Amino acid sequence: MDPLSVRAARVDDVADMTEIYNHVIATSTAIYASQPSPLVDRRDWFKARTGAGFPVLAAWRGGELVGYASFAEFRGAWPGYLYSVEHSVYVRADCWRQGVGSALVRSLLPLAATMDKHVMIGGIDAANDGSLRMHERLGFQRVAHFREVGRKFGRWLDLVFMQRFIDAPGAPRVH
């Protein structure tokens, strides 16, 4: 198997990222959306995310994009949440359980530290055992379980929030 590399995503990666994203929408409950996202919308997302100074990372293996991850504000831009971010990670289905998601999330952590973030949060479908276990291995803890907050494929979905401290719990901040 070719080695995995993670780098900053570029706008020319967005088409492959959109394919992964839309496959996740069509086949899983990892995204609580039911309609595919048009390429133009994903390009707008990418430009907004990177334009705001947030990272978007791409994982490559054998010359192919196999996953991507990013983080941005938690709960919008409310000032009280300035030091918290929410991340997302998506892996091409044929590359699950190959360390791609872990490598991407591990690569996000030092970027969050550089941006003076304190907590990283992930919202994960409660039935997504693979993602829950991966996050636990990376030091995330389950902090909330919201019952039946989503609906897709004709059934109610539970959402788990997991969090990981970027620096020490209780670490001081100026603001």
Side-chain angles (χ1 to χ4, degrees):
M1 183 179 303
D2 290 324
L4 182 71
S5 65
V6 176
R7 63 157 171 78
R10 299 185 298 249
V11 75
D12 59 332
D13 297 328
V14 175
D16 290 334
M17 292 164 52
T18 301
E19 284 186 35
I20 292 171
Y21 189 78
N22 285 336
H23 185 265
V24 171
I25 288 172
T27 63
S28 79
T29 57
I31 301 171
Y32 290 4
S34 56
Q35 297 301 314
S37 183
L39 179 58
V40 67
D41 289 358
R42 298 312 295 166
R43 281 195 181 118
D44 290 345
W45 168 86
F46 179 83
K47 290 175 185 174
R49 182 71 49 110
T50 57
F54 292 108
V56 179
L57 300 179
W60 287 82
R61 179 179 284 144
E64 296 182 341
L65 187 118
V66 295
Y68 70 99
S70 184
F71 66 75
E73 302 101 345
F74 174 67
R75 302 210 52 189
W78 290 82
Y81 296 110
L82 174 66
Y83 300 105
S84 300
V85 290
E86 184 172 0
H87 78 287
S88 56
V89 58
Y90 304 106
V91 176
R92 207 172 69 190
D94 63 329
C95 297
W96 291 350
R97 294 176 183 78
Q98 296 177 17
V100 176
S102 295
L104 283 162
V105 175
R106 272 196 304 274
S107 296
L108 287 175
L109 296 171
L111 299 174
T114 299
M115 294 175 72
D116 198 32
K117 300 306 177 184
H118 181 57
V119 171
M120 184 174 287
I121 298 159
I124 303 161
D125 183 74
N128 190 340
D129 292 327
S131 185
L132 294 168
R133 283 192 309 274
M134 177 196 77
H135 281 84
E136 286 170 344
R137 285 191 304 272
L138 294 172
F140 285 78
Q141 296 179 324
R142 296 177 195 219
V143 294
H145 188 127
F146 301 100
R147 301 202 183 281
E148 297 186 5
V149 295
R151 189 159 175 86
K152 187 172 179 181
F153 300 138
R155 65 182 191 273
W156 290 109
L157 306 172
D158 290 3
L159 181 68
V160 173
F161 268 16
M162 299 185 78
Q163 81 171 46
R164 183 186 192 279
F165 287 99
I166 303 301
D167 56 4
R173 292 295 192 278
V174 175
H175 297 95

